[in-house]
Each structure stands twice: as C-alpha cells, then as structure tokens.
Coordinates of all heavy atoms in Angstrom, one line a residue:
P515 N 8.1 9.7 4.3 CA 7.5 8.4 4.4 C 8.3 7.2 4.0 O 9.0 7.3 2.9 CB 6.2 8.5 3.6 CG 6.0 10.0 3.3 CD 7.4 10.6 3.4
F516 N 8.2 6.1 4.6 CA 8.8 4.8 4.4 C 8.3 4.4 3.1 O 8.9 3.8 2.2 CB 8.6 3.9 5.5 CG 9.1 2.4 5.1 CD1 10.4 2.1 5.0 CD2 8.1 1.5 4.9 CE1 10.7 0.7 4.7 CE2 8.4 0.1 4.7 CZ 9.7 -0.2 4.5
Y517 N 7.0 4.5 2.9 CA 6.2 4.0 1.7 C 5.2 5.2 1.3 O 4.5 5.7 2.2 CB 5.4 2.8 2.0 CG 4.4 2.2 1.0 CD1 4.9 1.3 0.1 CD2 3.2 2.7 1.0 CE1 4.1 0.8 -0.9 CE2 2.3 2.3 -0.1 CZ 2.7 1.3 -0.9 OH 1.9 0.9 -1.9
L518 N 5.1 5.5 0.1 CA 4.1 6.5 -0.4 C 3.7 6.1 -1.8 O 4.5 6.1 -2.7 CB 4.6 7.8 -0.3 CG 3.8 8.9 -0.9 CD1 2.5 9.2 -0.2 CD2 4.6 10.3 -0.8
K519 N 2.4 6.0 -2.0 CA 1.9 5.7 -3.4 C 0.5 6.3 -3.4 O -0.2 6.6 -2.4 CB 1.8 4.1 -3.8 CG 3.2 3.6 -4.0 CD 3.1 2.3 -4.9 CE 4.4 1.8 -5.1 NZ 4.4 0.5 -5.7
K520 N 0.1 6.6 -4.6 CA -1.2 7.3 -4.9 C -2.1 6.6 -5.9 O -1.5 5.8 -6.8 CB -0.9 8.8 -5.4 CG -0.1 9.6 -4.4 CD 0.3 10.9 -5.1 CE 1.2 11.6 -4.2 NZ 1.9 12.8 -4.7
C521 N -3.4 6.7 -5.8 CA -4.3 6.1 -6.7 C -5.6 6.9 -6.6 O -5.8 7.8 -5.7 CB -4.6 4.7 -6.4 SG -5.4 4.3 -4.9
N522 N -6.5 6.7 -7.6 CA -7.8 7.4 -7.5 C -8.9 6.4 -7.7 O -10.1 7.0 -8.0 CB -7.8 8.5 -8.5 CG -7.7 8.0 -10.0 OD1 -7.6 6.9 -10.2 ND2 -7.5 9.0 -10.9
Q523 N -8.8 5.1 -7.5 CA -9.9 4.2 -7.5 C -9.9 3.3 -6.3 O -8.9 2.9 -5.7 CB -9.8 3.3 -8.9 CG -9.8 4.1 -10.1 CD -11.1 4.8 -10.4 OE1 -12.2 4.3 -10.0 NE2 -11.0 5.9 -10.8
W524 N -11.2 2.8 -5.9 CA -11.3 1.9 -4.8 C -10.6 0.8 -4.9 O -9.9 0.3 -4.0 CB -12.8 1.7 -4.6 CG -13.6 2.8 -4.2 CD1 -14.6 3.5 -4.9 CD2 -13.5 3.6 -2.9 NE1 -15.1 4.6 -4.2 CE2 -14.4 4.5 -3.0 CE3 -12.7 3.5 -1.7 CZ2 -14.7 5.5 -2.0 CZ3 -12.9 4.4 -0.7 CH2 -13.9 5.4 -0.8
N525 N -10.6 0.0 -6.1 CA -9.9 -1.2 -6.1 C -8.4 -1.1 -6.1 O -7.7 -1.9 -5.4 CB -10.1 -1.8 -7.5 CG -11.6 -2.4 -7.5 OD1 -12.3 -2.6 -6.5 ND2 -12.2 -2.6 -8.7
D526 N -7.9 0.0 -6.6 CA -6.4 0.2 -6.5 C -6.0 0.5 -5.0 O -5.0 0.2 -4.6 CB -6.0 1.5 -7.3 CG -6.3 1.2 -8.9 OD1 -6.4 0.0 -9.2 OD2 -6.4 2.1 -9.6
L527 N -6.9 1.3 -4.4 CA -6.6 1.6 -2.9 C -6.4 0.3 -2.1 O -5.6 0.2 -1.3 CB -7.8 2.5 -2.3 CG -7.7 2.8 -0.9 CD1 -6.4 3.6 -0.6 CD2 -8.9 3.6 -0.4
N528 N -7.4 -0.6 -2.3 CA -7.2 -1.9 -1.6 C -5.9 -2.6 -1.8 O -5.2 -3.0 -0.9 CB -8.3 -2.8 -1.8 CG -8.5 -4.0 -1.0 OD1 -8.4 -3.8 0.2 ND2 -8.8 -5.1 -1.5
E529 N -5.5 -2.6 -3.0 CA -4.2 -3.3 -3.4 C -2.9 -2.4 -2.8 O -2.1 -3.1 -2.3 CB -4.1 -3.3 -5.0 CG -5.1 -4.3 -5.6 CD -5.0 -5.7 -4.9 OE1 -4.0 -6.3 -4.9 OE2 -6.1 -6.2 -4.6
L530 N -3.1 -1.1 -2.9 CA -1.9 -0.4 -2.3 C -1.9 -0.6 -0.8 O -0.8 -0.6 -0.2 CB -2.1 1.2 -2.6 CG -1.9 1.5 -3.9 CD1 -2.0 3.1 -4.1 CD2 -0.6 1.1 -4.6
I531 N -3.0 -0.7 -0.1 CA -2.9 -0.9 1.3 C -2.3 -2.3 1.7 O -1.4 -2.4 2.5 CB -4.4 -0.9 2.0 CG1 -4.9 0.5 1.9 CG2 -4.3 -1.4 3.4 CD1 -6.4 0.6 2.2
K532 N -2.7 -3.3 0.9 CA -2.1 -4.6 1.0 C -0.5 -4.6 0.8 O 0.2 -5.3 1.5 CB -2.8 -5.7 0.1 CG -4.1 -6.0 0.6 CD -4.8 -7.0 -0.4 CE -6.2 -7.3 -0.1 NZ -6.9 -8.1 -1.1
E533 N -0.1 -3.9 -0.3 CA 1.2 -3.7 -0.6 C 2.0 -3.1 0.5 O 3.1 -3.5 0.9 CB 1.4 -3.0 -2.0 CG 2.9 -2.8 -2.5 CD 2.9 -2.0 -3.7 OE1 2.8 -2.7 -4.7 OE2 3.1 -0.8 -3.6
A534 N 1.4 -2.0 1.0 CA 2.1 -1.2 2.0 C 2.3 -2.1 3.3 O 3.4 -2.0 3.9 CB 1.3 0.0 2.4
I535 N 1.3 -2.8 3.6 CA 1.4 -3.6 4.8 C 2.4 -4.7 4.7 O 3.2 -5.1 5.5 CB -0.1 -4.2 5.3 CG1 -0.9 -3.1 5.7 CG2 0.2 -5.4 6.2 CD1 -2.4 -3.5 5.9
S536 N 2.4 -5.3 3.4 CA 3.4 -6.4 3.1 C 4.9 -5.8 3.2 O 5.7 -6.4 3.8 CB 3.2 -6.9 1.7 OG 4.1 -7.9 1.4
L537 N 5.1 -4.7 2.6 CA 6.5 -4.0 2.7 C 6.8 -3.7 4.2 O 7.9 -3.9 4.6 CB 6.6 -2.8 1.8 CG 6.5 -3.1 0.4 CD1 6.4 -1.8 -0.5 CD2 7.7 -3.9 -0.1
N538 N 5.8 -3.2 4.8 CA 6.1 -2.9 6.3 C 6.5 -4.2 7.1 O 7.4 -4.1 7.8 CB 4.7 -2.3 7.0 CG 5.0 -1.9 8.4 OD1 5.7 -1.0 8.7 ND2 4.3 -2.8 9.3
L539 N 5.8 -5.3 6.8 CA 6.2 -6.5 7.5 C 7.6 -6.9 7.2 O 8.3 -7.5 8.0 CB 5.2 -7.6 7.2 CG 3.7 -7.4 7.7 CD1 2.8 -8.5 7.2 CD2 3.8 -7.4 9.2
E540 N 8.0 -6.7 5.9 CA 9.4 -7.1 5.5 C 10.4 -6.2 6.2 O 11.6 -6.6 6.3 CB 9.5 -7.0 4.1 CG 8.6 -8.0 3.3 CD 8.6 -7.7 1.8 OE1 9.4 -6.9 1.3 OE2 8.0 -8.4 1.1
D541 N 10.1 -5.0 6.7 CA 11.0 -4.1 7.2 C 11.3 -4.3 8.8 O 11.9 -3.5 9.4 CB 10.5 -2.7 7.0 CG 11.5 -1.6 7.4 OD1 12.6 -1.6 6.9 OD2 11.1 -0.8 8.3
R542 N 10.8 -5.3 9.3 CA 10.9 -5.5 10.7 C 12.4 -5.6 11.2 O 13.3 -6.0 10.8 CB 10.2 -6.8 11.2 CG 8.8 -6.5 11.1 CD 7.9 -7.7 11.5 NE 6.5 -7.3 11.7 CZ 5.7 -7.8 12.6 NH1 6.1 -8.6 13.4 NH2 4.5 -7.3 12.6

C-alpha cells in the first residue's frame, strides 16, 4: 500500500481518511 495506518476509534478514523486523501492528492 502507498498509505497504511490503523486506529480503533471513530474520531481517529475520520482523521486518517482525511490524511490519506491529502497525501494521495500530493502524489499526483
């Protein structure tokens, strides 16, 4: 995977999704 992170809480999940999308956009 280009990006892989783990968490076990809903709030953390939302933040990881935002981070993943942001890094993906930088990789264009």
Side-chain angles (χ1 to χ4, degrees):
F516 168 72
Y517 173 96
L518 173 63
K519 288 202 178 172
K520 302 171 185 175
C521 66
N522 60 7
Q523 298 297 319
W524 293 112
N525 289 339
D526 295 338
L527 177 61
N528 193 43
E529 293 307 310
L530 288 184
I531 293 170
K532 289 177 183 176
E533 179 181 278
I535 291 171
S536 176
L537 288 173
N538 178 71
L539 292 173
E540 292 173 8
D541 184 55
R542 288 184 171 210

